[in-house]
Structure formats: C-alpha cells, structure tokens
Amino acid sequence: MPYSHLLFDLDGTLTDPKLGITKSVQYALKRLGIEIEDLDQLDPFIGPPLMQSFTEIYSFSEEQASQAITYYREYFSEQGIFENELFSGMIELLEQLIHEGRSLYVATSKPTLFAERILRYFKLDSYFTYVSGSHLDGTRSAKGDIIQHVLEEKRLSAADCVMIGDRKHDMIGANLNHMDSIGVEYGYGSREELEGAGATVVVATVNDLRRQLCGASFSAR
C-alpha cells in the first residue's frame, strides 16, 4: 500500500535554495573576515544544521558558530529567504498526492519560522498538514529529533510514514525513527551519500519521485 503520511525535507527537496543559502553564508563569513568568492564552495551548507556546518567546515568554536549564524540570519531573513525556487514538477506532485488522500508534512532543520515563510511565499502552505523545524535558539536541529516531533505531535505510526530528503541527515533521521526513506538525487546529496546513510530507495528526478510515490510502492523493511 502507498504511504499515508509523507514527510518532506525543504531545502534541496521541495525547493532549490542554493543562491539564498550560499549568499547568506558568504555574508556571514565576510563579517568574520573570511572572503569566499565562489558560491559553489558553500554548497555543503545546504541541508545540515548551520551550527554543525560552521563547526565542521570552518572549525569554528560554538561561540564563533553562533555569531556566524547571527550574521547569516541578517542577510537570510531579509533577502536570502527569497533567493530560492521551486523544483520543476513539484506542484504537480503535491497536488496528485493530496488528490490521492495523502497527508503531507515538512520536516526541516531550518527554523520553523523561516520554513513557514518560504512555504507561504511559494503558496505551498495549503498542501502541508504540519511544519516542523528547528528552534531559533538552535535546539531541535537534528533531523531525527525533528522527525520524532512530527510523529509525536500528529500521533503517527512510523510504519505508515516515509521521509523524503536529499541529504544523509534525512536518511539517518528516518532510520533513527524506524521509518522508510526516499533519497532524491536532484538535490544536494549524491546517490553514494544517500545509499551510504541507509536510504530505502534513491530516485534521480522529481518525475521519478512521483512514480515512486504514486505508482507501485516499495517494500517496507
């Protein structure tokens, strides 16, 4: 049977946020004395929690990473949030899922406040039953915790759900909650990354995702 409840990551899954995120990171790093000209170098920031990315990629202390996030939000909240675009075919996919009676949720490491603004901007908010993200203070940023929050808040059984995302954190979070997962290659994670993190299945395009969700379902673990 098809999954009744579908949890979608936001960045790299529903929308392509590259320009807004990388320019926000570029702005934050510049405020800290680090000049990055090539935005492609900042692609690894798309998906994971910002605290994790700043500490792992630039070896920032927790205090430095917190300051970087403050600078990041100065740019992102006013401009970067709108430097974003929907993946082609996404509206059609969401409409078909709703027509089939599925319930849709957003599970993102982005702060809930920003995620809701993005969904409203793209007129996607009406498709989703619930939006769960991180808190502005950095808590509840791990994808496993975010997925768990959706399950508990909406009283869902993991067996009826699937997590859809483009990075390993989505797959790891699903596995921690004993949930199936679909990795999407059209975002910012490779097939190798997604399979290595335990994705139940990996699809290459939005059309492939539509066929996977609206056609034959894959077997649960």
Side-chain angles (χ1 to χ4, degrees):
M1 294 291 293
Y3 296 98
S4 301
H5 304 283
L6 287 74
L7 282 66
F8 284 83
D9 176 43
L10 178 57
D11 293 338
T13 302
L14 292 172
T15 71
D16 184 352
K18 174 173 177 170
L19 185 60
I21 289 179
T22 56
K23 289 184 71 172
S24 298
V25 174
Q26 182 188 51
Y27 172 86
L29 292 173
K30 185 174 183 178
R31 291 290 304 270
L32 293 168
I34 301 172
E35 296 278 354
I36 301 293
E37 296 297 331
D38 183 5
L39 292 177
D40 290 343
Q41 292 183 31
L42 303 176
D43 281 359
F45 280 86
I46 303 172
L50 285 171
M51 176 66 73
Q52 177 182 333
S53 295
F54 279 118
T55 55
E56 290 183 356
I57 298 171
Y58 284 93
S59 300
F60 284 177
S61 66
E62 185 173 333
E63 182 179 357
Q64 289 172 317
S66 294
Q67 184 61 69
I69 291 170
T70 297
Y71 290 145
Y72 173 98
R73 288 177 178 164
E74 286 180 0
Y75 182 93
F76 186 82
S77 63
E78 296 297 326
Q79 186 168 341
I81 193 170
F82 303 117
E83 294 174 324
N84 195 349
E85 61 184 45
L86 274 175
F87 284 113
S88 177
M90 188 55 62
I91 290 289
E92 292 80 3
L93 169 59
L94 298 178
E95 288 181 344
Q96 183 168 350
L97 292 170
I98 293 297
H99 179 73
E100 293 181 359
R102 318 290 189 91
S103 295
L104 312 182
Y105 311 82
V106 171
T108 174
S109 293
K110 186 180 293 300
T112 305
L113 175 67
F114 292 150
E116 290 175 339
R117 285 182 64 190
I118 291 168
L119 293 174
R120 287 195 299 270
Y121 177 73
F122 285 112
K123 297 181 172 57
L124 296 179
D125 49 317
S126 63
Y127 295 107
F128 292 96
T129 299
Y130 189 68
V131 180
S132 179
S134 62
H135 298 305
L136 285 170
D137 65 4
T139 57
R140 202 178 71 199
S141 61
K143 189 55 68 82
D145 294 341
I146 291 164
I147 293 172
Q148 181 182 5
H149 178 73
V150 175
L151 295 177
E152 293 175 350
E153 188 71 16
K154 305 310 291 184
R155 299 182 181 180
L156 305 178
S157 168
D160 299 325
C161 301
V162 63
M163 178 68 210
I164 303 158
D166 70 312
R167 298 302 306 274
K168 64 182 180 181
H169 311 84
D170 302 304
M171 310 301 108
I172 292 169
N175 287 331
L176 288 172
N177 285 279
H178 310 290
M179 182 187 298
D180 283 345
S181 57
I182 301 175
V184 298
E185 280 189 282
Y186 61 79
Y188 288 88
S190 66
R191 176 174 290 269
E192 181 181 23
E193 174 185 330
L194 296 165
E195 291 179 343
T200 309
V201 70
V202 176
V203 298
T205 68
V206 174
N207 282 335
D208 290 338
L209 177 61
R210 185 174 182 174
R211 283 191 288 269
Q212 187 69 54
L213 293 174
C214 304
S217 61
F218 51 80
S219 300
R221 288 188 298 270

